[in-house]
Structure formats: C-alpha cells, structure tokens
C-alpha cells in the first residue's frame, strides 16, 4: 500500500518565480495538510484541505495557496518566491483530519530558491 | 495559543543505554499529543500518540511516553537505544479548537558506539 507520495523530490527556483508542489495522499485518506520545515526547525503548518476546501490556515501569506482535487490529491502553489521560502515542504494525509489517526507524512519536496 | 518546547536540541547517549527526550506543552483543556521521528532526508513517521485514557503510551521501535497533565509534559523514553535510533525526534500537539499540529523544534538523538 503506497503511502503519501510527493513530487518533485527536489526543486531549484529563482527568486520571483512561481512553483507548484504535488501530493497524493495515502489510500483511504481524505484530508491533506501541508507543512513547511526550514533547516533545523520543526514543521510549520501552512493549511489543511478537506472536502476540496481549505479548512484551516496557518500564519502564511497569500502567496501560498492550494487546491484539493476530487480524488483527494492536492497541490501547493507558492507565488513570487523569496529566498526565505527555501525549505522542505511536507504533505501529510489523514482519514479523520488527524484527530484520532494522526497523520502519515510524505518524504517531502526540497525547494531551494536562488 | 498552543506551544511546544523540546528542552534539548541534542541528546548524546551510548548504545544500549536508556534515553529520555523531554517535551512540554502549554496548557489546554484537552490536548492530543504525538511523537514523530525523522530519519535523515526523510519525512516524518509517527512513533506514538496520546489521545485519552492510560497516561503511559507504547509506540513502535520500543519507545514509550508518559502523559503528565499536572506538569504539562509528554516525555519520550526508550530503555535501550540502538545505532538505528539515530534520528531527529519531534513532539507535536493539537487540541479541540483546531486540527493543525503545533511542533517542537526537535531533538537530535546521537548514539555513541
């Protein structure tokens, strides 16, 4: 059974560009959350998608947006990239919005902004 | 707002020795507590979780944690560590007011041969 799949694994972008990261949740999971993990830090919550809608959002600017598709897969879009957006972006899925089951995480996308 | 403090950024320990990784959270009416492990260049894997009930929680790979409400702590323990336990360990918490996980800064477990 495949877990959470993220693509691409690594990405290098130039400041000011836009990027799209993709996530396929674990089979049977309908909730997708996105986290940003800077080097040497714990993950920071970006937002959560459930039933194709953004249900909760962390303290991130509007440059960060997302989408969830009917098959529960999700995209994270970041516009006008800044050097400070360089980080590991983690996708996590859950069958119950993380309440009892918790989350299954993907291996992440390493974004480097130059 | 909820917050999580992991008191040690690094914990060096000899192989086969016991280890305790400390985690404290800010108080809340009802919390859900998690420990995750992150191996180098990988995502996060759930070790164990506390939702309710028994305060001693057993997880994978021989780890356990004890929920202490009065001290707002959720320390992770293992009686005998192996070289394969070398990783970064994160404590996380959520509560009834939201679904997001609030994370500590992580503790690197360094196993000395």
């Amino acid at each position: 059974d495949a877990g959470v799949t993220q693509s691409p694994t690594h990405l290098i972008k130039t400041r000011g560009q836009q990027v799209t990261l993709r996530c396929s949740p674990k089979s049977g999971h309908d909730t997708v959350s996105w986290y940003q993990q800077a080097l040497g830090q714990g993950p920071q919550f970006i937002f959560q998608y459930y039933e194709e809608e953004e249900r909760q959002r962390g303290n991130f600017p509007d440059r960060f947006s997302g989408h969830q598709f009917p098959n529960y897969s999700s995209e994270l879009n970041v516009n006008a990239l800044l050097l400070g957006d360089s980080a590991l972006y983690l996708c996590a899925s859950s069958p119950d919005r993380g309440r009892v089951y918790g989350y299954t995480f993907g291996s992440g996308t390493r974004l480097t902004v130059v | 707002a909820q917050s999580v403090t992991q008191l040690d950024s690094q914990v060096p320990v000899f192989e086969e020795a016991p280890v305790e990784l400390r985690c404290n959270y800010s108080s809340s009416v009802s919390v859900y507590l998690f420990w995750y492990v992150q191996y180098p260049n990988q995502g996060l894997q759930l070790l164990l979780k506390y939702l309710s009930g028994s305060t001693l929680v057993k997880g994978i790979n021989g780890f356990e944690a004890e929920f202490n409400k009065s001290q707002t702590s959720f320390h992770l323990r293992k009686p005998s560590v192996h070289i394969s336990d070398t990783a970064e360990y994160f404590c996380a918490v959520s509560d009834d007011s939201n679904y997001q996980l609030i994370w500590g800064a992580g503790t690197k477990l360094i196993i000395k041969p």
Side-chain angles (χ1 to χ4, degrees), chain B residues 30-50:
Chain B
S30 181
V31 293
Y32 308 95
L33 295 155
F34 304 83
W35 274 99
Y36 282 83
V37 59
Q38 188 173 36
Y39 298 102
N41 300 314
Q42 293 189 28
L44 294 144
Q45 181 182 6
L46 180 66
L47 275 177
L48 50 78
K49 59 188 175 185
Y50 171 81

Side-chain angles (χ1 to χ4, degrees), chain A residues 40-52:
Chain A
Q41 296 182 24
Q44 298 291 318
F45 175 74
I46 303 175
F47 41 55
Q48 182 184 82
Y49 276 84
Y50 172 67
E51 293 184 338
E52 301 180 51

Side-chain angles (χ1 to χ4, degrees), chain B residues 2 25-33 50-51 67 93-95:
Chain B
Q2 190 67 258
Y25 61 94
S26 56
S27 62
S28 178
V29 175
S30 181
V31 293
Y32 308 95
L33 295 155
Y50 171 81
L51 305 176
F67 169 61
V93 61
S94 66
D95 58 40

